[in-house]
Structures are given as C-alpha cells and as structure tokens.
Amino acid sequence: MNDLPDSPFAAGLDAGLREFVGYTMKRATSAVTADAARVLEPMGLRITTFSALSVICHSPGVRQTELAAALGMERSNSVAVIDKLEKAGWIARERKSTDRRAIALRPTTVGLARQKQARLALLAHEDRLFAGLTAAERRDLVKLLSKIEV
Amino acid sequence: MNDLPDSPFAAGLDAGLREFVGYTMKRATSAVTADAARVLEPMGLRITTFSALSVICHSPGVRQTELAAALGMERSNSVAVIDKLEKAGWIARERKSTDRRAIALRPTTVGLARQKQARLALLAHEDRLFAGLTAAERRDLVKLLSKIEV
DNA sequence: GCATTTTGTTATATGTCATAACAAAAATGG
DNA sequence: CCATTTTTGTTATGACATATAACAAAATGC
C-alpha cells in the first residue's frame, strides 16, 4: 500500500550522481577500458600487461621497481604481470651486473612485434570509441585530465 | 655486460602510453576515486554504497534491477551492496503489492541524513581535487566525457 | 494452462589493489 | 671494516570489484 509515489522517472536514475565529476569519469573510463580489454584479449594481453610491455619496449633495461612506479602499481603486484610477459616470451629478465639485486627487463623480438601490433589495434579502438570527439576535443580532454593527477 | 644502454630517462617512463586517452583517463580516475573513497570511509560508505544510497534517496521505491542498471552493475552484485545499506539502517526493503517478486527500496530518515552529509563531503573533496580547474573547465570535462559513453 | 521471462538471490571465479613479511644484496655511517 | 639500515624482487594474504551461471518464486504471453 505504500508503493504508490515511487520514483518519478525510470531513465536517468543516476542523474543525482552526475553532479560529481568523479562519477562521470568513472563511468566513461569503465566503458573505455572494457572496450580496450576486449581489443587486447585476442592478442593474449590485458591492459596491465600491455602497459608494462609498452614501458619495457620504450625503455629497455628498466627495473621492476621503476616499472611499477611508472604505472602507479605496487612492486608486489608487478611480479605476476612480469611473470606473464616472460612466460609468453615477450620480455626477458636479466640480472644487472652493476646491482645484483636488480633485474633489467628487456623486450624480445616477438615482444616488440606484439607491442606494435597491440598499439595499432588500440589506436584504432580509440578512434572508434572517440568518434564523437574531434581531435582538438581529445587533446582538450587529455589536457584537462592531466591537470588533476598530482 | 649488456646493461649499459638501458633507458634514456627515468622520469616519464609511461610517456609512450600517454598517446592513449584511455590511459590518462584511467590514471586520473583512479586518483579521484581513491580520494573519494578516503572521504567516504569514515562515514562507513564506499563509492558503490554511496552511489546506491544516492539513487535510492533520489528515487524512493526503485527496484533492485533498476538500481543495478542505473549504476551499470550486475543485479547479482547489487545484492551485497543493498544488504550493507539495509544492515546499516539506511534503507529498507519493502515488498511491492503490485509485483510480489519485486522489492521497493526506500531510504530511512537516518539514510537520508547520511546521504546529505556524504554528498557535502564529496563536493568538498571535488572542490579540493579539482582546484586546478576552473568551473568552466570542469563543465567542459564532464561534457567531453559524456560524449564517450554510449 | 503451459512455456517463457523477470526478479531477487546464491555461488563461484577472476582480476585489481593494498599490506605485511622475507632473503639477498647494496648503501650508509661511524 | 663492521653493524645497521635501506633497497629489490618476491610470496602470501585479504579486501573489493566484476562477470557468469544457476535457481525458486512470481508474473507474463500466447
């Protein structure tokens, strides 16, 4: 008997949350990352593994701690990621002669090729997903987002 | 002997990833949500529970399926969230007389107060976090992000 | 009236993320 | 030079998010 007034409209039930920039950011990001994951999956990559592989390809010899810091993840969590890249044959762990604790991460030939292929697929994915935005708008978006993170 | 060339520079190791809009989105969003979670935690709320509570406060009588759809989550995962809100005494589950399967979610007086309090804290948090952006820039950011999600 | 769909729910698996602890190696500091 | 501290990679663990499958009860559709 008490369910007569109910909600005014079904669509836009989250309208009250749209006043928060963070909510819109989270929703949009989740849409983008889900699509990116879908693109990477057939290549045996996930977002995290692709990110790590990209850093290693761009900066061969990088240490695991540096890699984790660059990607904003914990050292401990980077181990499994690097394990997967190594087992796939895309990177190699090499002991550094100057510091026998540290490990230098280097891409293999196959790893370099896979990164290039995945990069192109991801760029195409973003072209598709951001079709509603002009190139200038995408730059604006990145510029605005970059002002947030400290 | 093979670790001499190494990486060119330590800072900006993720520079190669910045060409992807999604990467910058993910980094910025993670910074914002982490801070929001920190703000909500002392009030016994998480981002998900606050979002659900807000929808219920704005649309009393909403069904669980509608709530889950509004927040972009699975029905099954919404159960635990609603359980927590109910156990905290912030919402109540009421059987609908028109559809005995469905459940109408309604906020309690305490729940309404808690939502208002958390909303203000979150607005303050965003004011702090987005201090580098003008009000116009924040609107632009939301406008650009809204063009992405389909 | 019977098959199908919807709703809330449970169980489960996977991925993400943070923290604590540890051994080996290096750096530091008398 | 030697003892203490720090760093590096690593393992283990727990909290949380998220996706899927299955199910009973209720509603809906021919």
Coordinates of all heavy atoms in Angstrom, one line a residue, chain A residues 42-136:
Chain A
P42 N 42.1 -10.9 -27.6 CA 42.6 -11.9 -28.6 C 44.1 -12.0 -28.8 O 44.6 -12.9 -29.4 CB 41.8 -11.5 -29.8 CG 41.2 -10.2 -29.6 CD 41.1 -10.0 -28.1
M43 N 44.8 -10.9 -28.4 CA 46.2 -11.0 -28.5 C 46.9 -11.5 -27.3 O 48.2 -11.4 -27.2 CB 46.7 -9.5 -28.8 CG 46.2 -9.0 -30.2 SD 46.9 -7.4 -30.6 CE 45.4 -6.4 -30.3
G44 N 46.1 -12.0 -26.3 CA 46.7 -12.5 -25.1 C 47.2 -11.4 -24.2 O 48.0 -11.7 -23.3
L45 N 46.7 -10.2 -24.3 CA 47.1 -9.1 -23.5 C 46.0 -8.6 -22.7 O 44.8 -8.7 -23.1 CB 47.8 -8.0 -24.3 CG 49.2 -8.2 -24.8 CD1 49.5 -7.2 -25.9 CD2 50.2 -8.1 -23.7
R46 N 46.3 -8.1 -21.5 CA 45.3 -7.3 -20.7 C 45.8 -5.9 -20.7 O 47.0 -5.6 -21.1 CB 45.1 -7.9 -19.3 CG 43.8 -8.5 -19.1 CD 43.7 -9.2 -17.8 NE 44.4 -10.5 -18.0 CZ 45.1 -11.1 -17.0 NH1 45.2 -10.4 -15.8 NH2 45.7 -12.2 -17.2
I47 N 45.1 -5.0 -20.1 CA 45.5 -3.6 -20.1 C 46.8 -3.4 -19.3 O 47.8 -2.8 -19.7 CB 44.4 -2.7 -19.4 CG1 43.2 -2.6 -20.4 CG2 44.9 -1.3 -19.2 CD1 42.1 -1.7 -19.9
T48 N 46.9 -4.1 -18.1 CA 48.1 -4.0 -17.3 C 49.3 -4.6 -18.0 O 50.4 -4.0 -18.0 CB 47.8 -4.8 -16.0 OG1 46.5 -4.6 -15.6 CG2 48.7 -4.2 -14.9
T49 N 49.1 -5.8 -18.6 CA 50.3 -6.4 -19.3 C 50.7 -5.6 -20.5 O 51.9 -5.5 -20.7 CB 49.9 -7.9 -19.7 OG1 48.6 -7.9 -20.3 CG2 49.9 -8.8 -18.5
F50 N 49.7 -5.1 -21.2 CA 50.1 -4.2 -22.4 C 50.9 -3.0 -21.9 O 51.9 -2.6 -22.5 CB 48.9 -3.8 -23.2 CG 49.2 -2.7 -24.2 CD1 49.8 -3.0 -25.3 CD2 48.9 -1.4 -23.9 CE1 50.2 -2.0 -26.3 CE2 49.2 -0.4 -24.8 CZ 49.8 -0.7 -26.0
S51 N 50.4 -2.4 -20.8 CA 51.1 -1.2 -20.3 C 52.5 -1.5 -19.9 O 53.4 -0.8 -20.3 CB 50.3 -0.6 -19.1 OG 49.0 -0.3 -19.4
A52 N 52.7 -2.6 -19.2 CA 54.0 -3.0 -18.8 C 54.9 -3.3 -20.0 O 56.0 -2.8 -20.0 CB 53.9 -4.2 -17.8
L53 N 54.3 -4.0 -20.9 CA 55.1 -4.4 -22.1 C 55.5 -3.1 -22.9 O 56.7 -3.0 -23.3 CB 54.3 -5.3 -23.0 CG 54.9 -5.7 -24.4 CD1 56.2 -6.4 -24.2 CD2 54.0 -6.5 -25.2
S54 N 54.6 -2.1 -22.9 CA 54.9 -0.9 -23.6 C 56.1 -0.1 -23.0 O 57.0 0.4 -23.6 CB 53.7 0.0 -23.7 OG 52.7 -0.6 -24.5
V55 N 56.0 -0.1 -21.6 CA 57.1 0.6 -20.9 C 58.4 -0.1 -21.2 O 59.5 0.6 -21.4 CB 56.8 0.7 -19.4 CG1 58.0 1.2 -18.6 CG2 55.6 1.6 -19.2
I56 N 58.4 -1.4 -21.1 CA 59.7 -2.1 -21.3 C 60.2 -2.0 -22.7 O 61.4 -1.8 -22.9 CB 59.4 -3.6 -21.0 CG1 59.1 -3.8 -19.5 CG2 60.6 -4.5 -21.3 CD1 58.6 -5.2 -19.2
C57 N 59.3 -1.9 -23.7 CA 59.7 -1.7 -25.1 C 60.3 -0.3 -25.3 O 61.3 -0.1 -26.0 CB 58.5 -1.9 -26.0 SG 58.1 -3.7 -26.2
H58 N 59.7 0.7 -24.6 CA 60.2 2.0 -24.8 C 61.4 2.3 -24.0 O 62.2 3.2 -24.3 CB 59.1 3.0 -24.4 CG 58.1 3.4 -25.5 ND1 57.1 2.5 -25.9 CD2 58.0 4.4 -26.3 CE1 56.5 3.0 -26.9 NE2 57.0 4.2 -27.1
S59 N 61.6 1.5 -22.9 CA 62.8 1.8 -22.0 C 63.4 0.5 -21.6 O 63.4 0.0 -20.5 CB 62.3 2.5 -20.7 OG 61.6 3.7 -21.1
P60 N 64.1 -0.2 -22.6 CA 64.7 -1.5 -22.3 C 65.7 -1.3 -21.2 O 66.4 -0.3 -21.1 CB 65.3 -1.9 -23.6 CG 65.4 -0.6 -24.4 CD 64.2 0.2 -24.0
G61 N 65.7 -2.3 -20.3 CA 66.7 -2.3 -19.2 C 66.1 -1.7 -17.9 O 66.7 -1.7 -16.9
V62 N 64.8 -1.3 -18.0 CA 64.1 -0.8 -16.9 C 64.0 -1.8 -15.8 O 63.9 -3.0 -16.0 CB 62.7 -0.3 -17.3 CG1 61.8 -1.4 -17.7 CG2 62.1 0.6 -16.2
R63 N 64.1 -1.3 -14.5 CA 64.0 -2.3 -13.4 C 62.5 -2.4 -13.0 O 61.7 -1.6 -13.3 CB 64.7 -1.7 -12.2 CG 66.2 -1.5 -12.4 CD 66.9 -1.4 -11.1 NE 67.7 -0.2 -11.0 CZ 68.2 0.3 -9.8 NH1 67.8 -0.4 -8.7 NH2 68.9 1.3 -9.8
Q64 N 62.3 -3.5 -12.3 CA 60.9 -3.8 -11.9 C 60.3 -2.7 -11.0 O 59.1 -2.3 -11.2 CB 60.8 -5.1 -11.2 CG 61.1 -6.3 -12.1 CD 60.8 -7.7 -11.6 OE1 61.2 -8.7 -12.1 NE2 60.0 -7.7 -10.5
T65 N 61.1 -2.2 -10.1 CA 60.6 -1.1 -9.2 C 60.2 0.1 -10.0 O 59.2 0.8 -9.8 CB 61.6 -0.8 -8.1 OG1 61.8 -2.0 -7.3 CG2 61.2 0.3 -7.3
E66 N 61.1 0.5 -11.0 CA 60.8 1.6 -11.8 C 59.6 1.4 -12.6 O 58.7 2.3 -12.8 CB 62.0 1.9 -12.8 CG 63.3 2.3 -12.1 CD 64.5 2.3 -13.0 OE1 64.5 1.5 -14.0 OE2 65.4 3.1 -12.8
L67 N 59.4 0.2 -13.2 CA 58.2 -0.1 -14.0 C 57.0 0.1 -13.1 O 56.0 0.7 -13.6 CB 58.3 -1.5 -14.5 CG 57.1 -2.0 -15.2 CD1 56.9 -1.3 -16.5 CD2 57.2 -3.5 -15.4
A68 N 57.0 -0.5 -11.9 CA 55.8 -0.4 -11.1 C 55.5 1.0 -10.7 O 54.3 1.4 -10.8 CB 56.0 -1.2 -9.8
A69 N 56.5 1.8 -10.4 CA 56.3 3.2 -10.1 C 55.7 4.0 -11.3 O 54.8 4.8 -11.1 CB 57.6 3.8 -9.6
A70 N 56.2 3.7 -12.4 CA 55.8 4.4 -13.6 C 54.3 4.1 -13.9 O 53.5 5.0 -14.3 CB 56.6 4.0 -14.8
L71 N 53.9 2.9 -13.6 CA 52.5 2.5 -13.9 C 51.6 2.8 -12.7 O 50.4 2.5 -12.7 CB 52.4 1.1 -14.3 CG 53.1 0.7 -15.6 CD1 52.9 -0.7 -15.9 CD2 52.5 1.6 -16.8
G72 N 52.2 3.3 -11.6 CA 51.3 3.5 -10.4 C 50.8 2.3 -9.7 O 49.8 2.3 -9.1
M73 N 51.6 1.2 -9.8 CA 51.2 0.0 -9.1 C 52.2 -0.4 -8.1 O 53.3 0.1 -8.0 CB 50.9 -1.1 -10.1 CG 52.2 -1.6 -10.8 SD 51.9 -3.2 -11.7 CE 50.8 -2.7 -13.0
E74 N 51.9 -1.3 -7.2 CA 52.8 -1.8 -6.2 C 53.8 -2.7 -6.8 O 53.5 -3.5 -7.7 CB 52.0 -2.5 -5.1 CG 51.0 -1.6 -4.3 CD 51.7 -0.6 -3.5 OE1 52.8 -0.8 -3.0 OE2 51.2 0.6 -3.5
R75 N 55.0 -2.7 -6.3 CA 56.1 -3.6 -6.7 C 55.6 -5.1 -6.7 O 55.7 -5.8 -7.6 CB 57.3 -3.5 -5.8 CG 58.2 -2.4 -6.0 CD 59.6 -2.5 -5.3 NE 59.7 -3.2 -4.1 CZ 59.3 -2.8 -2.9 NH1 58.7 -1.6 -2.8 NH2 59.4 -3.5 -1.8
S76 N 54.9 -5.4 -5.5 CA 54.5 -6.8 -5.3 C 53.5 -7.2 -6.4 O 53.5 -8.4 -6.9 CB 53.8 -6.9 -4.0 OG 52.8 -6.0 -3.8
N77 N 52.7 -6.3 -6.9 CA 51.7 -6.7 -7.9 C 52.3 -6.7 -9.3 O 51.7 -7.4 -10.2 CB 50.5 -5.7 -7.9 CG 49.7 -5.8 -6.6 OD1 49.6 -6.9 -6.0 ND2 49.2 -4.7 -6.1
S78 N 53.4 -6.1 -9.5 CA 54.0 -6.1 -10.8 C 54.7 -7.5 -11.1 O 54.9 -7.8 -12.3 CB 55.1 -5.0 -10.9 OG 56.2 -5.3 -10.1
V79 N 55.0 -8.2 -10.1 CA 55.7 -9.5 -10.3 C 54.9 -10.4 -11.2 O 55.4 -11.0 -12.2 CB 56.0 -10.2 -8.9 CG1 56.6 -11.5 -9.2 CG2 56.9 -9.3 -8.1
A80 N 53.6 -10.6 -10.9 CA 52.7 -11.5 -11.6 C 52.6 -11.0 -13.1 O 52.6 -11.8 -14.0 CB 51.4 -11.6 -11.0
V81 N 52.5 -9.7 -13.2 CA 52.4 -9.2 -14.6 C 53.6 -9.5 -15.4 O 53.6 -9.9 -16.6 CB 52.2 -7.6 -14.5 CG1 52.2 -7.0 -15.9 CG2 50.9 -7.3 -13.8
I82 N 54.8 -9.3 -14.8 CA 56.1 -9.5 -15.5 C 56.2 -11.0 -15.7 O 56.7 -11.5 -16.8 CB 57.2 -9.0 -14.7 CG1 57.1 -7.4 -14.6 CG2 58.6 -9.3 -15.3 CD1 58.0 -6.8 -13.7
D83 N 55.8 -11.9 -14.8 CA 55.8 -13.3 -15.0 C 55.1 -13.7 -16.3 O 55.6 -14.5 -17.1 CB 55.1 -14.0 -13.8 CG 56.1 -14.1 -12.6 OD1 57.3 -13.8 -12.7 OD2 55.6 -14.5 -11.5
K84 N 53.9 -13.1 -16.4 CA 53.1 -13.5 -17.6 C 53.8 -13.0 -18.9 O 53.8 -13.8 -19.9 CB 51.7 -12.8 -17.5 CG 50.8 -13.6 -16.6 CD 49.4 -13.0 -16.6 CE 48.5 -13.6 -15.5 NZ 47.3 -12.9 -15.3
L85 N 54.4 -11.9 -18.9 CA 55.1 -11.4 -20.1 C 56.3 -12.3 -20.4 O 56.6 -12.6 -21.5 CB 55.5 -9.9 -19.9 CG 54.4 -8.9 -19.8 CD1 55.0 -7.5 -19.5 CD2 53.6 -8.8 -21.1
E86 N 57.0 -12.7 -19.3 CA 58.1 -13.6 -19.5 C 57.7 -14.9 -20.0 O 58.3 -15.5 -21.0 CB 58.9 -13.7 -18.2 CG 60.3 -14.3 -18.4 CD 61.0 -14.5 -17.0 OE1 60.3 -14.7 -16.0 OE2 62.2 -14.4 -17.0
K87 N 56.7 -15.5 -19.4 CA 56.2 -16.8 -19.9 C 55.7 -16.8 -21.3 O 55.8 -17.8 -22.0 CB 55.1 -17.3 -18.9 CG 55.7 -18.1 -17.7 CD 54.7 -18.3 -16.6 CE 55.4 -18.7 -15.3 NZ 54.5 -18.4 -14.1
A88 N 55.2 -15.7 -21.7 CA 54.7 -15.5 -23.1 C 55.9 -15.4 -24.1 O 55.7 -15.4 -25.3 CB 53.7 -14.4 -23.2
G89 N 57.0 -15.1 -23.5 CA 58.2 -14.9 -24.4 C 58.3 -13.5 -24.9 O 59.0 -13.4 -26.0
W90 N 57.7 -12.6 -24.3 CA 57.7 -11.2 -24.9 C 58.8 -10.3 -24.2 O 59.2 -9.3 -24.7 CB 56.3 -10.6 -24.7 CG 55.3 -11.3 -25.5 CD1 55.5 -11.9 -26.7 CD2 53.9 -11.4 -25.2 NE1 54.3 -12.4 -27.2 CE2 53.3 -12.1 -26.3 CE3 53.1 -11.0 -24.1 CZ2 52.0 -12.5 -26.3 CZ3 51.8 -11.4 -24.1 CH2 51.2 -12.1 -25.2
I91 N 59.2 -10.7 -23.0 CA 60.3 -10.0 -22.3 C 61.2 -11.0 -21.7 O 60.9 -12.2 -21.6 CB 59.8 -9.0 -21.3 CG1 59.1 -9.8 -20.1 CG2 58.8 -8.1 -21.8 CD1 59.3 -9.2 -18.8
A92 N 62.4 -10.5 -21.3 CA 63.4 -11.4 -20.6 C 63.9 -10.6 -19.3 O 64.0 -9.4 -19.3 CB 64.5 -11.7 -21.5
R93 N 64.0 -11.4 -18.2 CA 64.6 -10.9 -17.0 C 66.1 -11.1 -17.1 O 66.6 -12.2 -17.3 CB 64.1 -11.6 -15.8 CG 62.7 -11.1 -15.3 CD 62.4 -12.0 -14.1 NE 61.3 -11.5 -13.3 CZ 60.0 -11.9 -13.3 NH1 59.7 -12.9 -14.1 NH2 59.1 -11.4 -12.5
E94 N 66.9 -10.0 -16.9 CA 68.4 -10.1 -17.0 C 69.0 -9.5 -15.7 O 68.7 -8.3 -15.4 CB 69.0 -9.5 -18.2 CG 68.6 -10.1 -19.5 CD 69.2 -9.4 -20.7 OE1 70.0 -8.5 -20.5 OE2 68.8 -9.7 -21.8
R95 N 69.8 -10.3 -15.0 CA 70.4 -9.7 -13.8 C 71.3 -8.6 -14.3 O 72.0 -8.6 -15.3 CB 71.3 -10.8 -13.1 CG 70.6 -11.8 -12.3 CD 70.3 -11.2 -10.9 NE 69.1 -12.0 -10.3 CZ 68.3 -11.5 -9.4 NH1 68.6 -10.3 -8.8 NH2 67.4 -12.2 -8.9
K96 N 71.3 -7.5 -13.5 CA 72.2 -6.4 -13.8 C 73.6 -6.7 -13.2 O 73.7 -7.1 -12.1 CB 71.7 -5.1 -13.3 CG 70.3 -4.7 -13.9 CD 70.0 -3.3 -13.6 CE 70.4 -2.4 -14.8 NZ 69.9 -1.0 -14.7
S97 N 74.6 -6.3 -13.9 CA 76.0 -6.6 -13.4 C 76.3 -5.5 -12.3 O 77.1 -5.8 -11.4 CB 77.0 -6.6 -14.5 OG 76.9 -5.3 -15.2
T98 N 75.8 -4.4 -12.5 CA 76.1 -3.3 -11.5 C 75.4 -3.4 -10.2 O 75.9 -2.9 -9.2 CB 75.7 -1.9 -12.2 OG1 74.4 -2.0 -12.6 CG2 76.6 -1.6 -13.4
D99 N 74.2 -4.1 -10.2 CA 73.4 -4.2 -9.0 C 72.8 -5.6 -9.0 O 71.8 -5.8 -9.7 CB 72.4 -3.1 -8.9 CG 71.6 -3.1 -7.5 OD1 71.7 -4.2 -6.9 OD2 71.1 -2.1 -7.1
R100 N 73.4 -6.5 -8.3 CA 72.9 -7.9 -8.4 C 71.6 -8.2 -7.8 O 71.0 -9.3 -7.9 CB 74.0 -8.9 -7.8 CG 75.3 -8.8 -8.7 CD 76.1 -10.1 -8.4 NE 75.9 -10.7 -7.1 CZ 76.9 -11.1 -6.4 NH1 78.2 -11.0 -6.8 NH2 76.7 -11.7 -5.2
R101 N 71.0 -7.2 -7.1 CA 69.6 -7.3 -6.6 C 68.7 -7.1 -7.8 O 67.7 -7.8 -8.0 CB 69.3 -6.3 -5.5 CG 70.0 -6.4 -4.3 CD 69.8 -5.2 -3.4 NE 70.2 -4.0 -4.1 CZ 70.0 -2.8 -3.5 NH1 69.5 -2.7 -2.4 NH2 70.5 -1.7 -4.2
A102 N 69.0 -6.0 -8.5 CA 68.1 -5.5 -9.6 C 68.0 -6.4 -10.8 O 68.9 -7.2 -11.0 CB 68.4 -4.1 -10.0
I103 N 66.9 -6.3 -11.5 CA 66.7 -7.1 -12.7 C 66.4 -6.1 -13.9 O 65.5 -5.2 -13.7 CB 65.5 -8.1 -12.5 CG1 66.0 -9.2 -11.7 CG2 65.0 -8.6 -13.9 CD1 64.9 -10.2 -11.4
A104 N 67.1 -6.3 -15.0 CA 66.8 -5.4 -16.2 C 65.8 -6.1 -17.1 O 66.0 -7.3 -17.4 CB 68.1 -5.2 -16.9
L105 N 64.8 -5.4 -17.4 CA 63.7 -6.0 -18.2 C 63.9 -5.6 -19.7 O 64.0 -4.4 -19.9 CB 62.3 -5.5 -17.7 CG 62.0 -5.9 -16.3 CD1 60.7 -5.2 -15.8 CD2 61.9 -7.4 -16.1
R106 N 64.0 -6.5 -20.6 CA 64.2 -6.2 -22.0 C 63.1 -7.0 -22.8 O 62.8 -8.1 -22.5 CB 65.6 -6.7 -22.4 CG 66.7 -6.0 -21.6 CD 68.0 -6.3 -22.2 NE 69.1 -5.7 -21.3 CZ 69.3 -4.4 -21.3 NH1 68.7 -3.6 -22.1 NH2 70.3 -4.0 -20.5
P107 N 62.7 -6.3 -23.9 CA 61.7 -7.0 -24.7 C 62.4 -7.9 -25.7 O 63.6 -7.7 -26.0 CB 61.1 -5.8 -25.5 CG 62.2 -4.8 -25.6 CD 62.9 -4.9 -24.3
T108 N 61.8 -9.0 -26.1 CA 62.3 -9.9 -27.1 C 61.8 -9.4 -28.5 O 61.0 -8.4 -28.5 CB 61.7 -11.3 -26.9 OG1 60.3 -11.3 -27.0 CG2 62.1 -11.8 -25.5
T109 N 62.3 -10.0 -29.5 CA 61.9 -9.5 -30.8 C 60.4 -9.8 -31.0 O 59.7 -8.9 -31.5 CB 62.6 -10.4 -31.9 OG1 64.0 -10.3 -31.6 CG2 62.4 -9.8 -33.3
V110 N 59.9 -10.9 -30.5 CA 58.5 -11.2 -30.6 C 57.7 -10.2 -29.7 O 56.6 -9.7 -30.1 CB 58.2 -12.6 -30.1 CG1 56.8 -13.0 -30.3 CG2 59.1 -13.6 -30.7
G111 N 58.3 -9.8 -28.6 CA 57.6 -8.9 -27.7 C 57.5 -7.5 -28.4 O 56.4 -6.9 -28.3
L112 N 58.5 -7.1 -29.0 CA 58.4 -5.8 -29.7 C 57.4 -5.8 -30.8 O 56.6 -4.8 -30.9 CB 59.8 -5.5 -30.4 CG 60.9 -5.0 -29.4 CD1 62.3 -5.1 -30.0 CD2 60.6 -3.6 -29.0
A113 N 57.3 -6.9 -31.5 CA 56.3 -7.0 -32.6 C 54.9 -7.0 -32.0 O 54.0 -6.3 -32.5 CB 56.5 -8.3 -33.4
R114 N 54.7 -7.8 -30.9 CA 53.4 -7.8 -30.3 C 53.0 -6.5 -29.8 O 51.8 -6.1 -29.9 CB 53.4 -8.9 -29.2 CG 52.1 -9.1 -28.4 CD 51.0 -9.3 -29.3 NE 51.2 -10.4 -30.2 CZ 50.6 -11.6 -30.1 NH1 49.8 -11.9 -29.1 NH2 50.9 -12.5 -31.0
Q115 N 53.9 -5.7 -29.2 CA 53.5 -4.4 -28.7 C 53.1 -3.5 -29.8 O 52.1 -2.8 -29.7 CB 54.7 -3.8 -28.0 CG 54.4 -2.6 -27.1 CD 54.4 -1.3 -27.8 OE1 55.0 -1.2 -28.9 NE2 53.6 -0.3 -27.3
K116 N 53.8 -3.6 -30.9 CA 53.5 -2.7 -32.1 C 52.1 -3.0 -32.6 O 51.3 -2.2 -32.9 CB 54.5 -2.9 -33.2 CG 55.7 -2.0 -33.1 CD 56.6 -2.2 -34.3 CE 58.0 -1.5 -34.1 NZ 59.0 -1.9 -35.0
Q117 N 51.8 -4.3 -32.7 CA 50.5 -4.8 -33.2 C 49.4 -4.3 -32.3 O 48.4 -3.8 -32.7 CB 50.5 -6.3 -33.3 CG 49.2 -6.9 -33.7 CD 49.2 -8.4 -33.3 OE1 50.0 -8.9 -32.5 NE2 48.3 -9.2 -34.0
A118 N 49.6 -4.5 -31.0 CA 48.6 -4.2 -30.0 C 48.4 -2.7 -30.0 O 47.3 -2.2 -29.8 CB 49.0 -4.7 -28.6
R119 N 49.5 -1.9 -30.1 CA 49.4 -0.4 -30.1 C 48.5 0.0 -31.2 O 47.6 0.9 -31.1 CB 50.8 0.2 -30.2 CG 50.7 1.7 -30.5 CD 52.2 2.2 -30.6 NE 52.1 3.6 -31.0 CZ 52.1 4.1 -32.2 NH1 52.2 3.2 -33.2 NH2 52.1 5.4 -32.5
L120 N 48.7 -0.5 -32.4 CA 47.9 -0.1 -33.6 C 46.4 -0.5 -33.4 O 45.5 0.3 -33.7 CB 48.4 -0.8 -34.9 CG 49.8 -0.3 -35.3 CD1 50.2 -1.0 -36.6 CD2 49.7 1.2 -35.6
A121 N 46.2 -1.7 -32.8 CA 44.8 -2.1 -32.5 C 44.1 -1.2 -31.5 O 43.0 -0.8 -31.7 CB 44.8 -3.5 -32.0
L122 N 44.9 -0.7 -30.5 CA 44.4 0.2 -29.5 C 44.1 1.5 -30.1 O 43.1 2.2 -29.7 CB 45.3 0.3 -28.3 CG 45.1 -0.7 -27.2 CD1 46.0 -0.4 -26.0 CD2 43.7 -0.8 -26.8
L123 N 45.0 2.0 -30.9 CA 44.7 3.3 -31.5 C 43.5 3.3 -32.4 O 42.7 4.2 -32.4 CB 45.9 3.7 -32.4 CG 47.2 4.1 -31.6 CD1 48.4 4.4 -32.6 CD2 46.9 5.4 -30.8
A124 N 43.3 2.2 -33.1 CA 42.1 2.0 -33.9 C 40.8 2.0 -33.0 O 39.8 2.6 -33.3 CB 42.1 0.8 -34.7
H125 N 41.0 1.3 -31.9 CA 39.9 1.2 -30.9 C 39.5 2.6 -30.4 O 38.3 3.0 -30.3 CB 40.2 0.3 -29.8 CG 40.0 0.8 -28.4 ND1 38.8 0.8 -27.8 CD2 40.9 1.4 -27.5 CE1 38.9 1.4 -26.6 NE2 40.2 1.8 -26.4
E126 N 40.5 3.4 -30.1 CA 40.2 4.8 -29.6 C 39.6 5.6 -30.7 O 38.7 6.5 -30.4 CB 41.5 5.4 -29.0 CG 41.9 4.7 -27.7 CD 42.6 5.7 -26.7 OE1 43.1 6.8 -27.2 OE2 42.7 5.4 -25.5
D127 N 40.1 5.5 -31.9 CA 39.5 6.2 -33.0 C 38.0 5.9 -33.1 O 37.2 6.8 -33.4 CB 40.2 5.9 -34.3 CG 41.3 6.8 -34.6 OD1 41.4 7.9 -34.0 OD2 42.2 6.5 -35.5
R128 N 37.7 4.7 -32.9 CA 36.3 4.2 -33.0 C 35.5 4.8 -31.8 O 34.4 5.3 -31.9 CB 36.2 2.7 -33.0 CG 34.9 2.1 -33.2 CD 35.0 0.6 -33.4 NE 36.3 0.0 -33.3 CZ 36.7 -0.6 -32.2 NH1 35.9 -0.7 -31.2 NH2 37.9 -1.1 -32.2
L129 N 36.1 4.6 -30.6 CA 35.3 5.0 -29.4 C 35.2 6.5 -29.2 O 34.2 7.0 -28.7 CB 36.1 4.4 -28.2 CG 35.2 4.0 -27.0 CD1 34.2 2.9 -27.4 CD2 36.0 3.5 -25.8
F130 N 36.2 7.2 -29.7 CA 36.1 8.7 -29.5 C 35.7 9.4 -30.8 O 36.1 10.5 -31.1 CB 37.5 9.2 -29.1 CG 37.9 8.7 -27.8 CD1 39.2 8.1 -27.6 CD2 37.1 8.7 -26.7 CE1 39.6 7.7 -26.3 CE2 37.4 8.2 -25.4 CZ 38.7 7.7 -25.3
A131 N 34.9 8.6 -31.6 CA 34.5 9.2 -32.9 C 33.6 10.4 -32.7 O 33.6 11.3 -33.5 CB 33.7 8.1 -33.7
G132 N 33.0 10.5 -31.5 CA 32.1 11.7 -31.2 C 32.9 12.9 -30.9 O 32.4 14.0 -30.7
L133 N 34.2 12.8 -30.7 CA 35.1 13.9 -30.3 C 36.0 14.3 -31.5 O 36.6 13.4 -32.1 CB 35.9 13.6 -29.1 CG 35.2 13.7 -27.7 CD1 34.2 12.6 -27.5 CD2 36.3 13.7 -26.6
T134 N 36.2 15.5 -31.7 CA 37.2 16.0 -32.7 C 38.6 15.8 -32.1 O 38.8 15.5 -30.9 CB 37.0 17.4 -33.0 OG1 37.3 18.2 -31.9 CG2 35.6 17.7 -33.5
A135 N 39.6 15.9 -32.9 CA 41.0 15.7 -32.4 C 41.3 16.8 -31.4 O 42.0 16.5 -30.4 CB 42.0 15.8 -33.6
A136 N 40.8 18.0 -31.6 CA 41.0 19.1 -30.7 C 40.3 18.8 -29.3 O 40.9 19.0 -28.3 CB 40.5 20.4 -31.2

